[in-house]
Amino acid sequence: MKLTVFGIGYVGLVQAAVLAEVGHDVVCVDIDAAKVERLNQGFIPIFEPGLEALVRENHAEGRIVFTTDAAAAVNHGEIQMIAVGTPQGEDGAADLKYVLSVAEAIGREMQGPKIVVGKSTVPVGTADRVRAKIAQALTVRGREDLTFDVVSNPEFLKEGSAVADCMKPDRIIVGTGSEESEMLMRELYAPFNRNHEKMIVMDVRSAEFTKYAANCMLATKISFMNEMANLAELLGADVEEVRKGIGSDPRIGYHFIYPGLGYGGSCFPKDVRALIRTAEDVGFDATLLKSVEDRNNAQKSVLFDKVLSFFKGDLAGKTFALWGLAFKPNTDDMREAPSRTLMEALWKAGAKVQAYDPEAMQECQSIYGQRDDLLLCGTKEAALRGADGLLIATEWKNFRAPAFDVVRNSLTTPVIFDGRNLFDPRIVARHGLQYFSIGRQAA
Ligand code: NAD
């Protein structure tokens, strides 16, 4: 099928590459000319496992094309997929300016019938606004004869495993009231539906809401577990034992109940806030979601508070090794990452940071630029040298079994503050290191 994807970000690029891989003919369009230029030269702007090879192969074979030419792009695909950003606006609501400008471009440029598919995470009712925007643009042109439909098809990929998630989706949510659109969506996703039926068809509003409900549920699990962790610490319990104890109940399950430094990234924080705002708009006080957010904001400071208390409130002139900058492993994304809250608090207290991350160093550089109190190190060992302690903010695999003796000998003060509970406290203590983690007693 011929397909146009608006927005070449984490969602647009991965989804486009996967759809090209199964044989669809995809044109990707973005307003960021530099990004398009670099993609055409073979440079992949984000890190996702497996993405580079997928994009290169399909680009070389002509199944995926990158352009800034919206007119040509609109007239390529019978399906127009909108995968542009929906960042948080000033009032907490999702900012729809990018989505609506794509809708306007489609209405302005289309010459034949189109199915417009909303992939971006958008508040309930956005499909109606997209429909109105396209209709308005067609009226301006006097082309009300051109037909189109708007379908909601929210994306559930996870950064860090985005390619695998799109290749083998858990579910494909399709919101439409049209049989014709449903059949086109079935054709589009047929290659991903072979093992068993993944498509769940529902009305448009329910599909839009499903995405927010899913992210808010996951954020709630994280905040719940962080609350239990903070309590466990005060009660002399070990939250890691509690985690295993409750996860063994299949009604609870082991997934997404790891205590830590709170959720970050481009989705959970903004989506929780957007749903709180949507609720306000319809006169509903989403008290649970507000608490989820409050707990998360507080959790981002928990590790810093431990460091501050260990050094008796005086961090001026100290240097800390920081392992992990990305908001989670296997991505270079630092949007709302707990590492940022941590670094910024350390800097404010007069400390310096020597940081290492396997993928997010360039991203960190572009966010913070050159500064005297930030040294980006080439290896995790280099980050340790002469530091007053090791702080861990991301659970990258290669942080899980460090040479503890090297850690101890490199640090001026042999202490680890672990925001991801990577280690068994008894093992760390055996190597002569002090160890502070989340929801467990210090060792
Ligand atoms: P992103 O910021 O990585 O990419 C968005 C892209 O859209 C940018 O390249 C931008 O230049 C482009 N763009 C903006 N306006 C445009 C226009 N008028 N025409 C063409 N391109 C335009 O965003 P993302 O992380 O891919 O997220 C996209 C959407 O998907 C958001 O609504 C997000 O909430 C949702 N989502 C994200 C994830 C995730 O893990 N990142 C997962 C599921 C859903």
Side-chain angles (χ1 to χ4, degrees), residues 7 9-11 30-31 35 84 86 101 120-121 155 159 267 270:
Y10 283 87
V11 169
D30 204 290
I31 48 173
K35 191 187 259 190
V84 297
T86 47
S101 93
S120 302
T121 302
E155 180 55 59
E159 283 182 28
C267 293
K270 83 168 169 57

Side-chain angles (χ1 to χ4, degrees), residues 221 225 240-259:
K221 283 184 99 171
M225 212 50 205
E240 289 300 328
E241 299 303 330
V242 176
R243 179 177 64 75
K244 290 177 221 153
I246 64 171
S248 54
D249 180 338
R251 292 172 302 176
I252 296 174
Y254 290 109
H255 291 301
F256 252 76
I257 55 168
Y258 289 91

Side-chain angles (χ1 to χ4, degrees), residues 1 105 114-116 208 211 220 229 233 281 297 299 302 375 419:
M1 292 174 96
K114 303 287 172 197
I115 302 294
V116 179
E208 289 172 331
K211 174 66 191 176
T220 302
E233 218 168 294
D281 288 346
N297 290 338
Q299 197 68 20
V302 162
L375 181 65

